[in-house]
Structures are given as C-alpha cells and as structure tokens.
Amino acid sequence: MVIRIKVAFCVKNLANGSEEARKELLKDPDLDVVEYGCTSYCGICRRYHVAIVNGKPITAETPAELLINIDEYIDNELLEQL
C-alpha cells in the first residue's frame, strides 16, 4: 500500500517566504505538494510560515523551521496514524 502525504500551501504564504520550504518539499517523491489561493487558515497564515499536512496546519517562524516541523510531524505523528 502506498501512503500519500499531501502538503498544501497558500499562495500568499508562499509569497511571504514559504516558497523556500515548498521547493525543498517538491524534491521528495513521497509528497504531493500543492498550492491553493487560500487554505482557510488566514489567522495563522498572516503571522507564520504555514503548510497544511494531510489537513493539519504546521507553523513556523522561518521556512527552514517549517521544513523541520513538517518532517517531525510526519515522522512522529502522521505515520503512526496511518
């Protein structure tokens, strides 16, 4: 069974710096990286770098920290749920 992990970004958040994280995530063939006009997390999206991983918002102060937080969420929480 193939497990697909979807990582979604808001285009406005990408323009505010999360694009750096998105580019790195695109290199991982196990991830479906998508972008939307809005992810409906405007409150946190205005203040943080945000990615929505299989429906859960992951936040960080920097794009580099966002990558770390996404990896930790996938490794420590998401894979246990699947």
Side-chain angles (χ1 to χ4, degrees), residues 22-41:
R22 187 187 77 87
K23 285 181 182 177
E24 284 301 312
L25 294 171
L26 284 170
K27 297 175 185 177
D28 187 333
D30 294 326
L31 301 177
D32 287 330
V33 181
V34 298
E35 55 187 73
Y36 296 111
C38 179
T39 58
S40 299
Y41 289 96

Side-chain angles (χ1 to χ4, degrees), residues 3 6 10 12 14-16 18-19 22-23 29-30 34-37 45 54 66 71 76 80-81:
I3 299 170
K6 182 177 179 180
C10 166
K12 289 183 181 181
L14 289 171
N16 289 330
S18 295
E19 176 64 20
R22 187 187 77 87
K23 285 181 182 177
D30 294 326
V34 298
E35 55 187 73
Y36 296 111
C45 192
N54 279 18
L66 183 59
D71 285 342
N76 299 324
E80 291 176 7
Q81 296 172 12

Side-chain angles (χ1 to χ4, degrees), residues 1-81:
M1 178 171 97
V2 176
I3 299 170
R4 298 304 298 175
I5 298 171
K6 182 177 179 180
V7 182
F9 288 92
C10 166
V11 293
K12 289 183 181 181
N13 200 263
L14 289 171
N16 289 330
S18 295
E19 176 64 20
E20 183 181 321
R22 187 187 77 87
K23 285 181 182 177
E24 284 301 312
L25 294 171
L26 284 170
K27 297 175 185 177
D28 187 333
D30 294 326
L31 301 177
D32 287 330
V33 181
V34 298
E35 55 187 73
Y36 296 111
C38 179
T39 58
S40 299
Y41 289 96
C42 301
I44 60 175
C45 192
R46 284 186 198 103
R47 297 188 326 239
Y48 301 101
H49 296 281
V50 181
I52 312 304
V53 182
N54 279 18
K56 178 175 171 69
I58 306 298
T59 62
E61 296 287 332
T62 67
E65 181 185 2
L66 183 59
L67 286 171
I68 292 168
N69 292 352
I70 290 169
D71 285 342
E72 287 179 356
Y73 174 69
I74 290 171
D75 291 346
N76 299 324
E77 294 184 44
L78 188 59
L79 291 180
E80 291 176 7
Q81 296 172 12

